[in-house]
Amino acid sequence: MAVLLKNLVARTPQTKDLAALAELVALCESAEAGMADSSLEDLLSQWQRPDFHLANDAWVIVTTRGEIVGFACIWHEAHTRLSTFLCVHSEYRNRGIGTLLLRLVEVRARAHVRLAPAGERVVLRGLVNGANQGKQRLFEREGYRLGRQFLRIAFTLAEDTGSLPVPAAQQKLRVDVSLEQGRLIGATPLYDRDGLCSVHPYKTYEKELRSAARSVEEAEVALEMPDTL
Protein backbone atom coordinates (compact mmCIF):
# COMPACT_ATOMS: atom_id res chain seq x y z
CA MET A 1 0.00 0.00 0.00
CA ALA A 2 1.47 3.37 -1.05
CA VAL A 3 0.20 6.66 0.35
CA LEU A 4 1.56 9.84 -1.22
CA LEU A 5 2.48 12.73 1.08
CA LYS A 6 4.23 15.99 0.24
CA ASN A 7 7.63 14.81 -1.02
CA LEU A 8 7.16 11.65 1.04
CA VAL A 9 5.83 8.17 0.38
CA ALA A 10 4.60 5.41 2.69
CA ARG A 11 5.53 1.83 1.86
CA THR A 12 6.24 -1.50 3.47
CA PRO A 13 9.86 -1.95 4.66
CA GLN A 14 12.32 -4.45 3.27
CA THR A 15 15.07 -6.36 5.01
CA LYS A 16 17.65 -4.06 3.38
CA ASP A 17 16.09 -1.17 5.33
CA LEU A 18 17.15 -2.62 8.68
CA ALA A 19 20.31 -0.50 9.05
CA ALA A 20 18.39 2.69 8.24
CA LEU A 21 15.64 1.71 10.68
CA ALA A 22 18.23 1.10 13.40
CA GLU A 23 19.60 4.60 12.81
CA LEU A 24 16.13 6.15 12.89
CA VAL A 25 15.16 4.40 16.11
CA ALA A 26 18.44 5.48 17.75
CA LEU A 27 17.92 9.09 16.62
CA CYS A 28 14.37 9.16 17.98
CA GLU A 29 15.39 7.69 21.31
CA SER A 30 18.34 10.05 21.67
CA ALA A 31 16.06 13.03 20.97
CA GLU A 32 13.63 11.86 23.67
CA ALA A 33 15.90 10.43 26.34
CA GLY A 34 19.37 11.74 25.55
CA MET A 35 20.58 8.24 24.73
CA ALA A 36 19.44 5.23 22.73
CA ASP A 37 17.45 2.59 24.59
CA SER A 38 17.08 -1.02 23.47
CA SER A 39 13.88 -0.64 21.48
CA LEU A 40 15.50 -1.98 18.32
CA GLU A 41 16.48 -5.18 20.13
CA ASP A 42 12.90 -5.52 21.33
CA LEU A 43 11.59 -4.95 17.81
CA LEU A 44 13.90 -7.56 16.32
CA SER A 45 12.67 -10.11 18.83
CA GLN A 46 9.10 -9.35 17.79
CA TRP A 47 9.95 -9.56 14.10
CA GLN A 48 11.28 -13.08 14.66
CA ARG A 49 7.87 -14.27 15.79
CA PRO A 50 6.37 -16.74 13.29
CA ASP A 51 3.14 -14.73 13.12
CA PHE A 52 4.85 -11.43 12.22
CA HIS A 53 4.95 -10.56 8.52
CA LEU A 54 7.02 -7.57 7.49
CA ALA A 55 4.93 -6.98 4.36
CA ASN A 56 1.70 -6.64 6.36
CA ASP A 57 2.76 -5.57 9.84
CA ALA A 58 5.19 -2.68 9.27
CA TRP A 59 5.40 0.63 7.38
CA VAL A 60 8.07 3.23 6.64
CA ILE A 61 7.86 6.83 5.45
CA VAL A 62 10.57 7.64 2.89
CA THR A 63 11.72 10.96 1.40
CA THR A 64 12.37 11.50 -2.30
CA ARG A 65 16.07 11.00 -1.48
CA GLY A 66 15.34 7.57 -0.06
CA GLU A 67 15.81 8.57 3.59
CA ILE A 68 13.55 6.76 6.07
CA VAL A 69 12.00 9.34 8.41
CA GLY A 70 9.09 7.43 9.90
CA PHE A 71 8.40 3.86 10.97
CA ALA A 72 5.66 1.84 12.62
CA CYS A 73 4.92 -1.82 13.19
CA ILE A 74 2.39 -4.00 14.99
CA TRP A 75 2.50 -7.43 16.61
CA HIS A 76 -0.02 -9.45 18.56
CA GLU A 77 -0.70 -12.19 21.06
CA ALA A 78 -3.65 -14.42 20.18
CA HIS A 79 -5.09 -11.56 18.06
CA THR A 80 -6.37 -9.93 21.27
CA ARG A 81 -3.36 -8.14 22.80
CA LEU A 82 -2.02 -5.90 20.04
CA SER A 83 1.07 -3.71 20.44
CA THR A 84 2.56 -1.02 18.21
CA PHE A 85 5.86 0.80 17.99
CA LEU A 86 5.99 4.15 16.18
CA CYS A 87 8.72 6.74 15.67
CA VAL A 88 9.20 9.82 13.47
CA HIS A 89 12.44 11.70 12.82
CA SER A 90 12.46 14.87 14.93
CA GLU A 91 12.99 17.07 11.85
CA TYR A 92 9.88 15.65 10.16
CA ARG A 93 7.37 15.90 12.98
CA ASN A 94 4.15 17.94 12.90
CA ARG A 95 3.58 16.99 9.26
CA GLY A 96 0.96 14.32 9.80
CA ILE A 97 3.41 11.42 9.50
CA GLY A 98 2.68 10.04 12.96
CA THR A 99 -1.07 10.32 12.36
CA LEU A 100 -0.81 8.42 9.08
CA LEU A 101 1.34 5.67 10.59
CA LEU A 102 -0.94 5.22 13.58
CA ARG A 103 -3.98 4.96 11.32
CA LEU A 104 -2.25 2.39 9.12
CA VAL A 105 -1.49 0.42 12.29
CA GLU A 106 -5.12 0.62 13.38
CA VAL A 107 -6.41 -0.63 10.02
CA ARG A 108 -4.19 -3.68 10.40
CA ALA A 109 -5.21 -4.04 14.06
CA ARG A 110 -8.88 -4.19 13.15
CA ALA A 111 -8.15 -7.08 10.83
CA HIS A 112 -6.99 -9.00 13.92
CA VAL A 113 -10.36 -8.37 15.57
CA ARG A 114 -11.99 -10.72 13.05
CA LEU A 115 -9.50 -13.43 14.01
CA ALA A 116 -9.74 -12.99 17.78
CA PRO A 117 -11.57 -15.67 19.81
CA ALA A 118 -15.25 -14.89 20.20
CA GLY A 119 -16.13 -12.92 23.31
CA GLU A 120 -12.57 -11.82 24.15
CA ARG A 121 -11.59 -8.18 24.54
CA VAL A 122 -9.25 -6.79 21.88
CA VAL A 123 -6.97 -3.87 22.77
CA LEU A 124 -4.30 -1.99 20.82
CA ARG A 125 -1.50 -0.51 22.96
CA GLY A 126 1.34 1.88 22.27
CA LEU A 127 4.35 2.78 24.41
CA VAL A 128 5.38 6.44 24.75
CA ASN A 129 8.40 8.00 26.39
CA GLY A 130 7.19 10.52 28.95
CA ALA A 131 9.38 13.21 27.37
CA ASN A 132 7.62 12.94 24.00
CA GLN A 133 4.59 15.15 24.55
CA GLY A 134 3.82 15.30 20.83
CA LYS A 135 3.42 11.55 20.67
CA GLN A 136 1.22 11.60 23.76
CA ARG A 137 -1.02 14.18 22.11
CA LEU A 138 -1.16 12.04 18.97
CA PHE A 139 -2.47 9.01 20.84
CA GLU A 140 -4.93 11.12 22.81
CA ARG A 141 -6.17 12.84 19.65
CA GLU A 142 -6.72 9.45 18.00
CA GLY A 143 -8.91 8.26 20.87
CA TYR A 144 -6.42 6.31 22.99
CA ARG A 145 -6.63 6.35 26.78
CA LEU A 146 -3.79 6.52 29.25
CA GLY A 147 -2.96 3.10 30.67
CA ARG A 148 -0.05 1.86 32.77
CA GLN A 149 2.72 4.29 33.74
CA PHE A 150 6.18 3.12 34.79
CA LEU A 151 9.83 4.03 35.13
CA ARG A 152 12.32 2.22 32.90
CA ILE A 153 15.67 1.85 34.61
CA ALA A 154 18.48 0.72 32.34
CA PHE A 155 22.06 -0.04 33.36
CA THR A 156 24.73 -0.90 30.79
CA LEU A 157 28.13 -2.18 31.82
CA ALA A 158 31.23 -0.31 30.76
CA GLU A 159 33.26 -1.84 27.95
CA ASP A 160 34.61 -5.21 28.96
CA THR A 161 38.35 -5.10 29.65
CA GLY A 162 38.65 -8.85 29.67
CA SER A 163 39.55 -8.98 33.36
CA LEU A 164 36.10 -10.28 34.20
CA PRO A 165 34.32 -12.08 31.35
CA VAL A 166 30.63 -11.32 31.39
CA PRO A 167 28.06 -13.04 29.16
CA ALA A 168 26.44 -10.65 26.70
CA ALA A 169 23.01 -11.36 28.20
CA GLN A 170 24.26 -10.06 31.56
CA GLN A 171 25.94 -6.89 30.32
CA LYS A 172 22.65 -5.01 30.44
CA LEU A 173 20.00 -4.63 33.08
CA ARG A 174 16.58 -3.19 32.38
CA VAL A 175 13.81 -2.98 34.93
CA ASP A 176 10.33 -1.51 34.49
CA VAL A 177 8.98 -0.16 37.79
CA SER A 178 5.20 0.20 37.80
CA LEU A 179 4.22 3.55 39.31
CA GLU A 180 0.81 2.24 40.31
CA GLN A 181 1.88 -0.93 42.10
CA GLY A 182 5.59 -0.51 42.70
CA ARG A 183 6.35 -3.83 41.01
CA LEU A 184 9.61 -4.68 39.26
CA ILE A 185 9.18 -6.13 35.78
CA GLY A 186 11.91 -7.63 33.64
CA ALA A 187 14.78 -7.59 36.14
CA THR A 188 17.91 -9.48 35.07
CA PRO A 189 21.14 -10.31 36.95
CA LEU A 190 24.09 -7.92 36.74
CA TYR A 191 27.70 -8.05 37.90
CA ASP A 192 28.95 -5.27 40.20
CA ARG A 193 30.92 -3.21 37.69
CA ASP A 194 31.03 0.36 36.50
CA GLY A 195 28.54 1.35 33.83
CA LEU A 196 25.93 3.82 32.64
CA CYS A 197 22.52 4.17 34.26
CA SER A 198 19.40 5.86 32.88
CA VAL A 199 15.91 6.32 34.29
CA HIS A 200 13.02 7.41 32.07
CA PRO A 201 9.24 7.60 32.57
CA TYR A 202 7.04 5.74 30.11
CA LYS A 203 3.31 5.64 29.49
CA THR A 204 1.12 3.15 27.71
CA TYR A 205 -1.84 4.31 25.66
CA GLU A 206 -4.57 1.90 24.66
CA LYS A 207 -7.67 1.76 22.52
CA GLU A 208 -10.33 -0.88 22.94
CA LEU A 209 -11.17 -2.30 19.51
CA ARG A 210 -13.68 -4.81 20.84
CA SER A 211 -15.13 -5.20 24.31
CA ALA A 212 -15.39 -8.54 26.06
CA ALA A 213 -18.73 -10.30 25.75
CA ARG A 214 -20.07 -12.50 28.50
CA SER A 215 -21.08 -16.00 27.56
CA VAL A 216 -24.73 -17.06 27.70
CA GLU A 217 -24.04 -19.05 30.89
CA GLU A 218 -22.44 -16.02 32.61
CA ALA A 219 -25.36 -13.81 31.64
CA GLU A 220 -27.87 -16.31 33.02
CA VAL A 221 -25.96 -16.59 36.31
CA ALA A 222 -25.87 -12.79 36.62
CA LEU A 223 -29.65 -12.61 36.16
CA GLU A 224 -30.23 -15.24 38.85
CA MET A 225 -28.04 -13.53 41.47
CA PRO A 226 -29.97 -11.23 43.83
CA ASP A 227 -28.88 -7.64 44.30
CA THR A 228 -26.83 -7.05 47.46
CA LEU A 229 -25.88 -3.89 49.30
Side-chain angles (χ1 to χ4, degrees):
M1 177 181 182
V3 180
L4 294 177
L5 304 172
K6 186 177 180 180
N7 299 322
L8 300 168
V9 64
R11 63 168 173 82
T12 55
Q14 304 172 11
T15 52
K16 67 179 182 180
D17 296 323
L18 185 58
L21 287 175
E23 182 178 355
L24 174 63
V25 171
L27 285 172
C28 291
E29 291 181 340
S30 296
E32 295 174 355
M35 62 181 297
D37 198 354
S38 57
S39 294
L40 183 63
E41 297 174 6
D42 297 337
L43 288 176
L44 290 176
S45 67
Q46 299 297 339
W47 290 6
Q48 293 171 356
R49 297 166 61 106
D51 53 5
F52 180 86
H53 305 287
L54 196 61
N56 299 321
D57 299 328
W59 304 264
V60 291
I61 304 296
V62 186
T63 68
T64 54
R65 300 188 302 274
E67 179 186 7
I68 295 179
V69 297
F71 167 68
C73 65
I74 182 174
W75 60 94
H76 73 93
E77 295 181 20
H79 303 288
T80 59
R81 296 178 295 279
L82 312 175
S83 301
T84 183
F85 175 86
L86 185 154
C87 66
V88 178
H89 195 292
S90 58
E91 296 181 2
Y92 287 83
R93 294 176 183 174
N94 300 317
R95 300 188 185 186
I97 294 176
T99 300
L100 172 61
L101 286 171
L102 189 55
R103 291 180 181 179
L104 289 172
V105 165
E106 190 166 327
V107 169
R108 176 59 175 160
R110 293 190 181 281
H112 284 286
V113 175
R114 298 192 294 269
L115 301 174
E120 291 197 24
R121 183 172 182 255
V122 181
V123 178
L124 173 60
R125 293 185 175 91
L127 183 64
V128 181
N129 187 299
N132 192 335
Q133 297 184 359
K135 195 171 181 180
Q136 294 176 56
R137 289 193 296 268
L138 167 63
F139 276 94
E140 292 168 357
R141 188 170 62 247
E142 292 298 306
Y144 289 73
R145 298 194 175 202
L146 181 62
R148 186 169 67 96
Q149 301 182 62
F150 62 92
L151 295 176
R152 174 161 290 176
I153 304 172
F155 190 97
T156 304
L157 291 177
E159 185 177 355
D160 191 0
T161 61
S163 60
L164 178 60
V166 180
Q170 294 181 326
Q171 290 180 354
K172 293 183 178 180
L173 168 70
R174 194 179 74 183
V175 181
D176 292 345
V177 182
S178 173
L179 297 181
E180 294 89 352
Q181 301 176 359
R183 294 182 293 111
L184 298 181
I185 304 172
T188 56
L190 183 73
Y191 286 97
D192 185 14
R193 296 177 57 202
D194 292 336
L196 299 175
C197 181
S198 64
V199 180
H200 299 287
Y202 279 86
K203 300 178 180 180
T204 57
Y205 281 86
E206 61 181 43
K207 175 182 283 190
E208 184 178 73
L209 304 182
R210 190 182 75 185
S211 60
R214 291 186 298 181
S215 66
V216 175
E217 292 80 4
E218 290 175 327
E220 291 176 348
V221 170
L223 289 174
E224 294 174 357
M225 293 182 62
D227 294 333
T228 58
L229 296 178

